[in-house]
Amino acid sequence: MTTLVSGIVLGSLYALMASGLSLIWTTLGVFNFAHGALMMMGAFIAWTVSEGLGLGLWAGLVAGVGATAILGVLIEYFLVRPYYGRPNMLLITVMTTLAAMIILEKSAQIIWGARLKQLPRLIEGDVSVFGAVVSVHEALIVVIAPAILVALWIFATKTSTGRSLRAVGQNQDAAALLGINVPLTFALAFGLGAALAGLTGILLGGIRFITPTLGAEPLVKAMIVVIFGGLGSLGATVGAAFVIGLAEAFLILVLGLYWTPFMLFLGLIIVLIVRPNGLFGRA
């Protein structure tokens, strides 16, 4: 039961982070390699406001999410937007977002140093879930993540701004003819995706130590989730996140940490051979 609960907690965090990555890919057709670094920046900024300035965790959470959203918009404006429409745009944006990742990680190392830091938990204490004892913080992650993803789905499907995001993702020229401000929509998608990354980092910062490379491993897992589930679908991403989270928790229990990444990548390759569009993707 402890393994199951651990897998659900991991799946919730992966779902939050991978949804931001998927949102950016679906709207812009860009894979944001700075996504993990944005997650790390969210945690560090929240720590500075919460612990450094003594304003409390909730103020840190708002500051961390807001700051990463702004950083996402700046990355889109300066490192992605200049290359829209170019035949080799995908390759160029891989390089520019990788550069953004390195810049953010090195900046964090200079600003906050190498000393390990950790955020306080949302609520202290432990709780028993079907016989497994977990922290209240982890239990809240399982509640908060689906609630945010449902809100994101409602935003994307029920609001005019959300429908504009989907329209731009399907056909930029047609969306522009309908009067949609395509550059503004791109910035919104990047900002929203970055905010989800920042929130993931803050929630993870209550479980793990915060370091400049905090987002490196989650970024790889988020990429596995997005590709495993099927590119271009929020529902597929969320479903894949929980499959990967549960599989990882089970593999760590059975095989240990060393072999778990190998088995996850092997599973990804097998799924892509059988279903090239991902486990939940449409053929």
Side-chain angles (χ1 to χ4, degrees), residues 21-41:
L21 202 60
S22 179
L23 176 66
I24 294 170
W25 170 263
T26 304
T27 308
L28 290 86
V30 170
F31 223 95
N32 179 22
F33 282 88
H35 207 67
L38 287 166
M39 173 185 154
M40 170 272 297
M41 290 298 288

Side-chain angles (χ1 to χ4, degrees), residues 212-226:
T213 57
L214 173 71
E217 182 191 342
L219 173 64
V220 174
K221 300 289 173 54
M223 292 169 65
I224 292 176
V225 165
V226 172

Side-chain angles (χ1 to χ4, degrees), residues 8 24 29 36 50 57-58 61 79 82 91 98 126 133 135 144 150 157 194 199 236 259-260 276 281 283:
I8 294 173
I24 294 170
S50 171
L57 179 60
W58 294 101
L61 193 149
L79 299 178
L91 179 61
L98 274 173
D126 297 325
V133 178
S135 68
I144 290 171
V150 169
T157 57
L199 177 61
W259 286 102
T260 296

Side-chain angles (χ1 to χ4, degrees), residues 51-124:
E51 301 297 299
L53 302 178
L55 297 179
L57 179 60
W58 294 101
L61 193 149
V62 172
V65 172
T68 48
I70 293 170
L71 280 172
V73 172
L74 292 175
I75 289 173
E76 188 276 335
Y77 187 81
F78 289 107
L79 299 178
V80 178
R81 186 173 299 189
Y83 309 106
Y84 288 142
R86 291 196 181 186
N88 54 354
M89 172 190 168
L90 190 60
L91 179 61
I92 293 175
T93 52
V94 166
M95 301 308 297
T96 55
T97 54
L98 274 173
M101 178 192 76
I102 294 170
I103 291 169
L104 290 174
E105 288 184 354
K106 295 301 180 187
S107 299
Q109 196 166 3
I110 294 170
I111 296 170
W112 288 285
R115 188 170 65 86
L116 299 177
K117 299 173 177 60
Q118 190 167 27
L119 281 165
R121 295 177 175 178
L122 293 173
I123 298 177
E124 294 295 339

Side-chain angles (χ1 to χ4, degrees), residues 6-282:
S6 175
I8 294 173
V9 173
L10 284 174
S12 301
L13 289 171
Y14 293 160
L16 268 183
M17 186 166 180
S19 295
L21 202 60
S22 179
L23 176 66
I24 294 170
W25 170 263
T26 304
T27 308
L28 290 86
V30 170
F31 223 95
N32 179 22
F33 282 88
H35 207 67
L38 287 166
M39 173 185 154
M40 170 272 297
M41 290 298 288
F44 266 124
I45 292 169
W47 179 87
T48 300
V49 174
S50 171
E51 301 297 299
L53 302 178
L55 297 179
L57 179 60
W58 294 101
L61 193 149
V62 172
V65 172
T68 48
I70 293 170
L71 280 172
V73 172
L74 292 175
I75 289 173
E76 188 276 335
Y77 187 81
F78 289 107
L79 299 178
V80 178
R81 186 173 299 189
Y83 309 106
Y84 288 142
R86 291 196 181 186
N88 54 354
M89 172 190 168
L90 190 60
L91 179 61
I92 293 175
T93 52
V94 166
M95 301 308 297
T96 55
T97 54
L98 274 173
M101 178 192 76
I102 294 170
I103 291 169
L104 290 174
E105 288 184 354
K106 295 301 180 187
S107 299
Q109 196 166 3
I110 294 170
I111 296 170
W112 288 285
R115 188 170 65 86
L116 299 177
K117 299 173 177 60
Q118 190 167 27
L119 281 165
R121 295 177 175 178
L122 293 173
I123 298 177
E124 294 295 339
D126 297 325
V127 62
S128 177
V129 180
F130 301 114
V133 178
V134 297
S135 68
V136 178
H137 180 87
E138 290 173 298
L140 281 176
I141 289 174
V142 176
V143 176
I144 290 171
I148 290 173
L149 293 172
V150 169
L152 181 64
W153 177 79
I154 292 173
F155 169 75
T157 57
K158 305 298 182 186
T159 67
S160 59
T161 306
R163 284 193 286 270
S164 296
L165 282 173
R166 296 168 61 203
V168 169
Q170 291 172 4
N171 191 315
Q172 296 173 22
D173 295 332
L177 288 173
L178 290 172
I180 296 173
N181 188 330
V182 175
L184 182 63
T185 306
F186 282 165
L188 176 64
F190 236 95
L192 273 176
L196 287 171
L199 177 61
T200 309
I202 295 167
L203 295 175
L204 188 62
I207 302 173
R208 297 182 182 176
F209 289 114
I210 306 170
T211 68
T213 57
L214 173 71
E217 182 191 342
L219 173 64
V220 174
K221 300 289 173 54
M223 292 169 65
I224 292 176
V225 165
V226 172
I227 297 170
F228 184 83
L231 290 168
S233 169
L234 179 61
T237 299
V238 173
F242 283 100
V243 170
I244 294 295
L246 289 168
E248 182 178 359
F250 178 76
L251 288 169
I252 290 173
L253 178 69
V254 175
L255 301 176
L257 280 171
Y258 185 80
W259 286 102
T260 296
F262 168 79
M263 294 302 294
L264 288 177
F265 276 107
L266 180 62
L268 175 64
I269 292 169
I270 293 172
V271 166
L272 290 179
I273 290 173
V274 178
R275 292 183 60 84
N277 293 311
L279 189 61
F280 305 115
R282 295 176 182 173

